[in-house]
Amino acid sequence: GFSRAVPTYPGRVSPQDEPAWFDYIRKHVEWRRGLRKRSFISCWTAWDTELIPMWKSCAPYDSGIVIQSTVQGFERSVPFPREYPSHTHKTGAVRYYEDLAPAFDYRTNIEYSLNIEFETLLQKRLCFEFEREWRAIIVNPIKRKKGLKIPVDVNGLVERVLVSPLAPKSFLHTVVTIARQFGLKAKPECSELARGRPKHRAIISAK
């Protein structure tokens, strides 16, 4: 999403206006590049079932963990800090685009606003559509921090915990022990993908 704005030369700019024009573009490019440094994002997938590509791309396939929750559970259990007013944070589903946007016209489209920042942070290329990503975002326009410490009601947030389908039993035991130590009510389970296909018995009735 960060590369969608493509600077274009307006074609005809008077020599006296050219320095101011390119300075305007430079400031906007710096603003967009700085967006990575001042944005804090919690990423989730909206799939209600497990996907092997997600296991492989988001965690070590033999030692990954899935935390299952809901949008309502997240919004109840993860309050945004009071120091960040409502207009500096947002939650929502990522939008995926197939074609690059038309060349960015700095004569009409340049805008420094949180709405544009959120729009940029909630878009990705179509090749990532399989993720069905949902994001919670905080934009910190003033102070630079490496991370944000946010209190979380863990038992209100976590509905289910699954460990990777290729994880050994010892790993599952470790996760269960840690969850118990921290008072997590949801008991970690083995991935459903590791439980094998259900066995069906053929029933033949004689007439």
Side-chain angles (χ1 to χ4, degrees):
F2 291 91
S3 61
R4 294 192 71 184
V6 182
T8 59
Y9 189 73
R12 295 180 180 179
V13 176
S14 62
Q16 61 268 26
D17 292 336
E18 191 171 84
W21 174 263
F22 285 106
D23 184 62
Y24 198 44
I25 293 179
R26 179 186 58 79
K27 290 179 180 179
H28 186 262
V29 171
E30 291 177 353
W31 169 75
R32 291 180 64 85
R33 288 176 177 173
L35 187 57
R36 292 180 181 270
K37 297 181 180 180
R38 61 179 180 272
S39 303
F40 303 89
I41 304 176
S42 177
C43 304
W44 299 71
T45 178
W47 284 104
D48 56 4
T49 186
E50 297 180 63
L51 294 180
I52 290 179
M54 293 298 293
W55 276 114
K56 290 183 175 180
S57 62
C58 298
Y61 198 27
D62 60 347
S63 58
I65 298 174
V66 160
I67 296 175
Q68 183 175 339
S69 186
T70 62
V71 173
Q72 294 78 12
F74 183 96
E75 293 177 345
R76 286 195 307 266
S77 308
V78 187
F80 288 102
R82 293 181 180 178
E83 61 184 290
Y84 296 96
S86 59
H87 68 274
T88 64
H89 54 76
K90 185 174 183 177
T91 61
V94 170
R95 297 181 297 276
Y96 300 92
Y97 60 90
E98 182 174 3
D99 299 319
L100 289 175
F104 199 86
D105 187 351
Y106 281 94
R107 293 166 294 185
T108 60
N109 293 347
I110 190 167
E111 183 178 347
Y112 298 85
S113 73
L114 286 171
N115 287 333
I116 295 298
E117 294 197 5
F118 286 131
E119 180 183 344
T120 302
L121 295 169
L122 285 173
Q123 61 185 10
K124 296 178 75 172
R125 289 174 294 171
L126 189 64
C127 59
F128 294 102
E129 188 178 23
F130 74 95
E131 297 175 348
R132 291 186 61 184
E133 190 173 345
W134 182 90
R135 290 179 169 184
I137 304 169
I138 292 180
V139 174
N140 182 4
I142 303 175
K143 299 178 182 179
R144 289 189 177 182
K145 295 183 179 180
K146 293 183 178 181
L148 296 179
K149 186 176 181 180
I150 299 177
V152 177
D153 176 8
V154 177
N155 283 315
L157 173 67
V158 180
E159 293 189 354
R160 197 178 182 197
V161 178
L162 298 175
V163 300
S164 174
L166 293 184
K169 291 183 179 180
S170 58
F171 180 75
L172 174 60
H173 176 73
T174 299
V175 176
V176 170
T177 301
I178 294 175
R180 188 183 301 118
Q181 290 176 349
F182 284 90
L184 184 65
K185 294 179 180 179
K187 184 178 179 180
E189 311 169 56
C190 181
S191 165
E192 294 181 359
L193 297 177
R195 297 173 189 175
R197 298 168 60 183
K199 297 180 180 180
H200 299 282
R201 292 185 298 171
I203 300 177
I204 302 177
S205 58
K207 294 184 179 181

